[in-house]
Amino acid sequence: MRAISGLWRWRHNPLRRATDLAEAWVALAALLLILVVTPVAGVIVGRVAQDALQDSVRDQRASRHLVTATVARKLDRSPLDADPEASTGRELRTRVLADWTAPDGTAQHGSVMANLKNPDRGDHFTLWTDAQGHIVARPLDSATATTHAVLAGVGAALLGVGLIESARRLLVWRMVRRRYARWDQAWDRAGPDWGRTGTGS
């Protein structure tokens, strides 16, 4: 709005300088770019991210499998594991030695983190594996992928706003610097005794 009011104010003003009008046009162009281009860029980035993330969700769902494992024995806590008393509000996990069958039918045995508070031999729990039975992270769900895509779109729009505003400020700064340089040249042309006019010296 400031850009539009600036253009309107300087339209027929006799004190208007070319740089004043140029600054107002730059501000108006920046405003239009922010209102039109950045939302479009945000939507495009969001859609591209959504497509890529949803493809990843489908791939992970196809390649990762939820299997049931059986506790062989509880293992001592690693010094790097989180303190159970400090992990309030989070899912408590315990390191155990477990057996499970991979989706391809092979028997697997190894140290894993189980979501059991007090695991005993023979307790069952679930874990995610690949087709060969190697432990993998839980697959990304569709809602989380959509959230990441929306955040990517918003981030792209905000980045666009920042770049446009930075470019506007840089242009205005250069215009002001040129204006000051022209004023200095005008003062130099006026001569060193410009203030002594009519003093008879």
Side-chain angles (χ1 to χ4, degrees):
M1 291 308 294
R2 195 173 73 190
I4 295 170
S5 66
L7 279 174
W8 187 261
R9 186 178 67 232
W10 289 111
R11 242 174 6 123
H12 301 295
N13 192 319
L15 300 176
R16 181 195 74 198
R17 297 168 296 197
T19 55
D20 296 327
L21 193 59
E23 283 179 34
W25 277 111
V26 166
L28 180 61
L31 177 67
L32 291 176
L33 286 172
I34 287 171
L35 292 177
V36 176
V37 174
T38 56
V40 171
V43 168
I44 290 171
V45 169
R47 283 190 180 168
V48 169
Q50 173 75 344
D51 291 343
L53 288 169
Q54 292 301 333
D55 286 345
S56 181
V57 167
R58 284 188 289 277
D59 291 345
Q60 288 182 12
R61 282 184 182 164
S63 64
R64 298 181 185 188
H65 309 278
L66 191 62
V67 299
T68 301
T70 305
V71 175
R73 69 181 168 90
K74 182 178 178 180
L75 297 175
D76 292 333
R77 227 169 34 93
S78 165
L80 298 177
D81 290 345
D83 182 9
E85 293 179 12
S87 61
T88 55
R90 294 190 317 207
E91 189 179 354
L92 187 62
R93 299 176 70 80
T94 309
R95 184 174 297 281
V96 297
L97 197 62
D99 299 308
W100 66 94
T101 302
D104 65 1
T106 59
Q108 300 289 327
H109 180 78
S111 170
V112 296
M113 297 298 289
N115 54 351
L116 300 169
K117 188 173 182 181
N118 294 311
D120 290 320
R121 183 181 175 87
D123 285 349
H124 298 287
F125 63 96
T126 57
L127 52 85
W128 289 94
T129 70
D130 61 12
Q132 291 76 38
H134 301 119
I135 306 296
V136 293
R138 177 185 178 142
L140 183 67
D141 63 274
S142 185
T144 304
T146 300
T147 302
H148 288 317
V150 168
L151 291 175
V154 170
L158 291 176
L159 179 64
V161 169
L163 289 174
I164 291 168
E165 178 60 15
S166 298
R168 184 195 71 81
R169 287 177 183 259
L170 179 64
L171 284 172
V172 169
W173 176 76
R174 292 194 61 169
M175 287 181 200
V176 169
R177 290 287 303 262
R178 277 200 309 225
R179 183 187 307 153
Y180 288 160
R182 284 198 298 270
W183 284 353
D184 288 342
Q185 291 169 359
W187 284 119
D188 289 342
R189 281 195 303 271
D193 56 348
W194 60 270
R196 300 181 189 168
T197 303
T199 60
S201 55

